[in-house]
Amino acid sequence: MASLPLRKLADGVAVTVRVTPKGGADRIDGLGADAEGRSFLKLRVKDVPEKGKANAAVIKLLAKAWKLPPSAVEIASGDTGRVKTVVLRGEGHYERLEAWFGALPE
């Protein structure tokens, strides 16, 4: 994959994710790309997409994977869609996530 689904922000980093709700398990399935070549992190959560349950599962899954408190992970856009932008506020997250993505299996 040519690029990572990361974007530096003035006060943190944004990550593009694509979520499969009711996916049977909470897990990260690696990187993917859409038809235009934009990359995203593929996630699967077992919760249903109603009343914010799947979004809460996404936050919990990413916080655990990135070794951060859930309060540090925010869904900035895509609340009701499968493609979401997740934001981490603060310094150093871009480099940390860049290294984390580098360790993902192909």
Side-chain angles (χ1 to χ4, degrees):
M1 179 149 317
S3 65
L4 295 177
L6 298 174
R7 189 175 75 245
K8 283 187 181 183
L9 303 174
D11 62 344
V13 63
V15 182
T16 304
V17 299
R18 183 172 185 273
V19 180
T20 301
K22 299 189 296 184
D26 292 343
R27 70 173 185 247
I28 296 170
D29 288 337
L31 294 173
D34 63 15
E36 287 82 38
R38 293 178 297 230
S39 61
F40 53 80
L41 181 63
K42 296 187 292 185
L43 307 178
R44 165 179 313 270
V45 295
K46 60 186 170 201
D47 287 307
V48 296
E50 54 187 45
K51 297 183 182 174
K53 291 179 185 176
N55 286 342
V58 165
I59 289 170
K60 185 177 175 183
L61 175 64
L62 292 175
K64 182 177 178 181
W66 295 336
K67 296 176 176 57
L68 295 168
S71 61
V73 180
E74 168 193 345
I75 296 177
S77 68
D79 278 345
T80 60
R82 292 180 70 179
V83 176
K84 303 176 184 302
T85 300
V86 175
V87 172
L88 304 177
R89 305 273 180 212
E91 299 284 325
H93 290 306
Y94 186 89
E95 293 76 13
R96 180 182 187 168
L97 289 181
E98 198 172 36
W100 182 85
F101 275 104
L104 277 179
E106 301 248 349

